[in-house]
Amino acid sequence: MIRPCFRATYRSIPRFLPCSPTGPTSLRVFCAGRQLQSDPRLQDAGRVIKDEYAAIRDHYETPKHTIVLAHGLLGFDELRLAGSIVPGIHYWRGITEALNAKGVEVIVAAVPASGSIEARAEKLIESISRKAKGKDVNIIAGLDSRYMISCLKPTDFNVLSLTTIASPHHGSAFADYMFESIGPRQIKRIYAVLEYFGFETGAFSQLTRQYMEESFNPRTTDVEGVQYFSYGASLEPSSWSVFAASHAIIKRIEGGPNDGLVSVSSSQWGQYQGTLLGVSHLDLINWTNRLKWFFWELTGSKRNFNAIAFYLDIADMLAKKGL
């Protein structure tokens, strides 16, 4: 799991000042990132979502059917670092509880962290079958679920919809860059090390644009009767952000906005619901460093995204569509 870093450097300035994209860099001491910037190309992709999920609303409609949450690559359902002694760390931090509080039945599915899409889909169908017990479900997940719905065709439960969030439906330029830069010989060595420590490696090569467009998408067609929704995200990271390098690579190769790992264009599948502005890949699962938001607010900038509000709104959207 990539974790966001926070780095603070002491400088002799008289007071905290808001971040300014045009002001001196010396005033940006505790800024969490650059000011949100709206790339004009985002308008071509559809709705641009800015600050809409900054706070939780008073009312959300509740969908009729169960919501399944399935983590992405390198994710987990619950991580226990000290056995049963210390409470586990939940991947969907606060999101499951918030949905439950609004009357939404939630199933958290577990799949291998880094297995191939096919292997993860096999485990996904087993996990949902065991927990759903024949119910109709709305899935919030990614490529594994697309493959499961299209190719494995579950019969123990009925999929009404699939909502994907910043999923690389058309591959990632960052994955292309990494494979080209490292080279096949070194890739084999890295795989050997990962496999020695118990990590599967089948997923990584499947993230390339060539694989997705020439292999995965042609054989993973949409299923009639299932509604497909998708969201993308766009970020302008600061120079010290964990996403700074990957964002620049994707922007240079694909020539468009991205969230640091997946481009907006690659995120689009089915009914595109819009692009979240100023949101990173980790923001989307509520794993943003809270210290970052603390200093962000100290500078006078308001928090622009709350993952819990976002997932509650997805549930609201599904309810309004009769799902």
Side-chain angles (χ1 to χ4, degrees):
M1 168 63 66
I2 301 174
R3 297 181 182 274
C5 303
F6 177 80
R7 185 175 71 195
T9 304
Y10 174 78
R11 295 176 185 170
S12 57
I13 59 175
R15 52 192 172 91
F16 292 110
L17 293 174
C19 298
S20 170
T22 57
T25 55
S26 60
L27 297 181
R28 298 185 197 171
V29 179
F30 286 105
C31 295
R34 299 176 186 169
Q35 289 278 342
L36 302 183
Q37 299 179 22
S38 183
D39 190 317
R41 290 169 294 186
L42 288 173
Q43 303 292 340
D44 298 332
R47 183 166 67 111
V48 177
I49 306 170
K50 180 180 179 181
D51 297 340
E52 189 171 322
Y53 306 124
I56 297 174
R57 302 196 306 267
D58 292 332
H59 176 71
Y60 295 89
E61 293 190 23
T62 303
K64 299 176 182 178
H65 303 289
T66 302
I67 287 180
V68 176
L69 299 175
H71 63 75
L73 181 65
L74 300 183
F76 52 87
D77 55 341
E78 184 180 14
L79 182 64
R80 289 190 173 274
L81 302 177
S84 59
I85 301 174
V86 179
I89 301 170
H90 293 273
Y91 184 84
W92 304 95
R93 301 197 321 172
I95 294 168
T96 303
E97 293 80 0
L99 290 169
N100 287 156
K102 295 294 183 181
V104 182
E105 182 181 10
V106 180
I107 289 174
V108 176
V111 297
S114 56
S116 67
I117 292 173
E118 294 81 3
R120 288 159 58 86
E122 291 280 1
K123 292 296 183 182
L124 181 62
I125 198 171
E126 291 177 11
S127 181
I128 300 175
S129 295
R130 186 172 62 255
K131 298 176 181 180
K133 303 184 188 304
K135 296 176 180 177
D136 292 341
V137 299
N138 296 298
I139 301 177
I140 300 176
L143 303 177
D144 314 329
S145 291
R146 264 189 62 202
Y147 182 86
M148 179 193 72
I149 295 167
S150 177
C151 301
L152 302 185
K153 304 186 186 304
T155 57
D156 292 336
F157 55 91
N158 180 44
V159 180
L160 301 176
S161 71
L162 170 64
T163 301
T164 60
I165 303 166
S167 293
H169 294 285
H170 306 282
S172 171
F174 184 61
D176 293 348
Y177 174 84
M178 292 301 292
F179 276 96
E180 291 170 6
S181 299
I182 296 173
R185 180 176 297 180
Q186 194 64 22
I187 284 287
K188 290 181 179 179
R189 293 175 181 171
I190 293 172
Y191 278 2
V193 172
L194 291 172
E195 289 165 0
Y196 176 80
F197 287 102
F199 287 95
E200 297 181 50
T201 56
F204 302 114
S205 63
Q206 294 179 324
L207 297 178
T208 64
R209 291 181 294 169
Q210 181 178 1
Y211 179 84
M212 289 304 300
E213 296 291 25
E214 296 181 8
S215 179
F216 184 81
N217 287 338
R219 61 189 170 90
T220 313
T221 55
D222 291 352
V223 172
E224 186 177 355
V226 178
Q227 296 193 51
Y228 294 81
F229 308 102
S230 60
Y231 293 83
S234 174
L235 176 73
E236 286 295 333
S238 59
S239 57
W240 48 260
S241 168
V242 69
F243 292 111
S246 57
H247 180 277
I249 290 167
I250 295 171
K251 193 171 184 177
R252 174 174 58 81
I253 296 175
E254 295 193 42
N258 65 86
D259 69 354
L261 288 178
V262 181
S263 68
V264 169
S265 59
S266 186
S267 301
Q268 297 177 53
W269 194 266
Q271 302 175 49
Y272 190 62
Q273 300 298 297
T275 304
L276 299 159
L277 186 62
V279 177
S280 78
H281 211 75
L282 288 183
D283 292 335
L284 293 169
I285 54 171
N286 206 27
W287 272 76
T288 305
N289 190 332
R290 294 185 182 183
L291 190 61
K292 183 191 83 169
W293 288 119
F294 172 73
F295 284 110
W296 178 267
E297 290 169 355
L298 276 182
T299 65
S301 301
K302 68 176 183 178
R303 181 170 180 166
N304 68 298
F305 182 75
N306 183 322
I308 293 174
F310 174 53
Y311 282 86
L312 287 172
D313 192 78
I314 292 176
D316 181 83
M317 178 268 291
L318 294 171
K320 289 174 179 174
K321 292 182 180 293
L323 300 171

